[in-house]
Amino acid sequence: MEDKKLFNLINLEKKRQTEGIELIASENYASEEVMAASGSILTNKYAEGLPGKRYYGGCVVVDEIEDLCRERLKNLFDASWVNVQPHSGAQANAAVMLALLNPGDKILGFDLAHGGHLTHGSTVNFSGKIYKSFFYGVNKEDGLIDYNTLEETALKEKPKMIICGASSYSRDWDYKRIREVADKINAFLLADIAHPSGLISRGLLNDPLKHCHVVTSTTHKTLRGPRGGIIMMREDFDNPFGFKTPKGVIKKVSTLLDSGVFPGTQGGPLEHIIAAKAVAFKEALSEDYLNYVIQVKKNASAMAKEFIIRDYQIISGGTDNHLMLIDLRNKEITGKEAEENLGKADITINKNMVPFDTQSPFVTSGMRIGTAAVTSRGMNEVDMVKIVDFIDKALINKDFLGVKKEVNGWAEKFPLHKK
Ligand code: DSN
């Protein structure tokens, strides 16, 4: 190996991932086949356009790969149209907005400070700079989505697009109810299912494709694929509003979305990543993966239960999916301190704003925890109780080195990939 410096760093990161406990809710361990595809020779190929309609020669093989990927994704979510080219979830959302909105149009999304995502209208993001954004949040009393405020704001402001989906909300969504609101004002309904998409794909949570016009996701969280994005639709939502070109031709929404990705917001697709997505979708259709997502959910419930026993305050009182958001104020610890102190014990989490937080986003009052990665290593409900014990010991007793030693010895029992 020529580039010793760089590959030594990669080995250090491998050691970190192997010896520690990974609880960042948006991370996971992709399989060796997913990594092999993403590190393959396909990285050399330019393929702007779509299979059969490329702007470059030599695309025969990558056309087959992208078609295989699209078919597998359609099967996984029972979608009739998909685009597998977005480089990330943020890119997928940008493409959808570019395709369906005009600059200055109003959008209504879940507040980032309550658990939403930057690309759902945050003023520091393109979505809040190009479009005029409005927000709904959660109720202060129960931490659940405030559907009444969502409806009131939608009826008052008449946004052209309503966005549902979150990055730190532990409960399922009532897509049907939001669709009813969208229909009253003739708005597009976009669901960004980046976090729970793996659980949704195998029927463990409500199906957004049944009610939302367009659905986006990342592929590297609970879906356990390479880092990337996707866009999906079901046939009944294609062309609900009759988009017309200047010549009066009615365009299908799916055609607009394809152009939103390329040439709208991206150039050449990453065919090596598309191949890795294809591997991940095949895995996600398997019996093994179904058992995996069932266990992810069981592990999150077991962990939330144990945190509650130890007087940690879980926002909304529990979880329906793979994650939980914990308000640390009763423990007199900030999110920043928790992230730093757990890091010293080789436990990785991220600090997170809690709804109605009084701290800045750099400090925060909470921590977000997810079970997708630890479940990939084969951990079960008993192991979740052990992890909560490690966390509690590190945060409360501050015995970082003692806990780190225990964590490292214990993590050894759970290899990243099955042999
Ligand atoms: N998707 C975000 C997360 O949940 O970590 C990052 O953008």
Side-chain angles (χ1 to χ4, degrees):
M1 197 68 71
E2 285 297 310
D3 193 346
K4 284 214 177 76
K5 188 167 185 182
L6 188 276
F7 284 93
N8 280 343
L9 287 170
I10 293 180
N11 282 336
L12 275 181
E13 172 60 12
K14 185 175 178 187
K15 186 171 177 304
R16 188 195 69 81
Q17 290 191 18
T18 310
E19 291 181 352
I21 296 176
E22 182 54 71
L23 295 171
I24 291 181
S26 46
E27 294 190 11
N28 209 332
Y29 300 106
S31 72
E32 284 176 318
E33 277 199 7
V34 165
M35 292 194 292
S38 68
S40 70
I41 199 161
L42 297 168
T43 193
N44 298 334
K45 188 72 199 99
Y46 246 117
E48 284 178 5
L50 288 166
K53 284 187 285 181
R54 305 281 193 186
Y55 291 82
Y56 289 80
C59 290
V60 186
V61 180
V62 292
D63 274 7
E64 266 195 62
I65 290 171
E66 193 166 334
D67 272 338
L68 185 62
C69 185
R70 296 200 292 191
E71 281 318 304
R72 286 177 179 174
L73 180 59
K74 282 183 192 169
N75 285 342
L76 188 58
F77 284 92
D78 193 18
S80 58
W81 169 90
V82 298
N83 188 304
V84 295
Q85 294 188 354
H87 301 332
S88 67
Q91 291 284 115
N93 290 341
V96 173
M97 289 182 197
L98 183 85
L100 305 180
L101 302 171
N102 289 312
D105 277 350
K106 292 181 180 176
I107 58 174
L108 172 62
F110 183 35
D111 196 340
L112 177 64
H114 284 213
H117 191 257
L118 273 175
T119 56
H120 300 178
S122 166
T123 49
V124 296
N125 180 260
F126 79 90
S127 56
K129 289 182 191 285
I130 298 177
Y131 311 106
K132 194 166 175 0
S133 47
F134 297 86
F135 299 100
Y136 56 93
V138 297
N139 295 306
K140 204 163 189 176
E141 312 76 57
D142 57 14
L144 299 174
I145 298 282
D146 180 357
Y147 290 99
N148 292 333
T149 299
L150 186 161
E151 176 154 14
E152 278 163 27
T153 314
L155 297 184
K156 180 164 174 262
E157 299 298 340
K158 299 196 174 40
K160 195 161 167 195
M161 179 180 280
I162 299 178
I163 305 156
C164 53
S167 55
S168 51
Y169 184 63
S170 62
R171 297 300 187 176
D172 206 351
W173 287 76
D174 189 347
Y175 302 110
K176 184 168 177 284
R177 174 150 186 207
I178 308 176
R179 175 62 194 273
E180 283 162 8
V181 175
D183 281 348
K184 285 187 191 171
I185 54 167
N186 221 20
F188 267 111
L189 179 55
L190 165 65
D192 176 348
I193 58 168
H195 267 270
S197 50
L199 279 62
I200 289 169
S201 76
R202 301 308 303 261
L204 302 187
L205 291 168
N206 292 334
D207 177 10
L209 277 92
K210 198 166 158 191
H211 302 287
C212 306
H213 300 106
V214 185
V215 176
T216 58
S217 180
T218 53
T219 48
H220 48 274
K221 298 185 176 93
T222 49
L223 265 180
R224 207 165 59 182
R227 305 192 71 78
I230 46 176
I231 311 176
M232 306 179 278
M233 282 187 90
R234 279 205 189 129
E235 184 62 39
D236 10 336
F237 301 133
D238 215 353
N239 199 17
F241 301 104
F243 269 95
K244 283 195 183 152
T245 66
K247 286 187 180 163
V249 181
I250 293 182
K251 284 219 170 182
K252 292 182 91 176
V253 173
S254 54
T255 309
L256 293 166
L257 293 173
D258 277 333
S259 328
V261 177
F262 171 82
T265 49
Q266 292 187 176
L270 311 175
E271 291 297 338
H272 54 306
I273 298 301
I274 289 172
K277 286 174 184 171
V279 176
F281 300 152
K282 180 168 187 272
E283 290 173 358
L285 285 158
S286 71
E287 193 69 21
D288 257 8
Y289 182 82
L290 173 60
N291 293 332
Y292 162 70
V293 276
I294 290 172
Q295 191 62 46
V296 167
K297 217 175 143 166
K298 281 187 190 166
N299 281 353
S301 300
M303 199 179 242
K305 213 168 133 196
E306 186 60 25
F307 271 121
I308 290 166
I309 289 171
R310 292 169 189 247
D311 194 31
Y312 285 82
Q313 316 262 295
I314 311 251
I315 303 294
S316 87
T319 177
D320 298 330
N321 55 31
H322 64 298
L323 66 78
M324 66 212 72
L325 180 58
I326 302 176
D327 186 337
L328 292 165
R329 284 179 283 201
N330 66 326
K331 301 282 182 185
E332 294 179 3
I333 309 167
T334 65
K336 184 170 186 273
E337 285 162 349
E339 184 182 303
E340 284 170 4
N341 288 343
L342 290 174
K344 291 177 196 162
D346 283 354
I347 299 169
T348 316
I349 57 112
N350 68 280
K351 61 176 176 281
N352 212 102
M353 300 277 280
V354 293
F356 311 99
D357 210 329
T358 43
Q359 298 280 8
S360 79
F362 296 104
V363 178
T364 81
S365 300
M367 62 177 178
R368 184 185 66 161
I369 287 187
T371 55
V374 287
T375 309
S376 288
R377 291 181 80 163
M379 296 180 196
N380 61 23
E381 292 99 313
V382 176
D383 302 312
M384 296 305 113
V385 174
K386 180 117 179 148
I387 291 177
V388 175
D389 187 50
F390 287 145
I391 292 175
D392 200 36
K393 273 200 250 173
L395 290 183
I396 308 301
N397 305 344
K398 303 203 188 315
D399 174 20
F400 312 124
L401 287 184
V403 177
K404 177 180 152 68
K405 230 173 157 183
E406 275 191 79
V407 163
N408 296 156
W410 188 69
E412 252 179 44
K413 293 195 292 176
F414 301 95
L416 298 196
H417 297 111
K418 281 185 208 153
K419 287 294 157 228

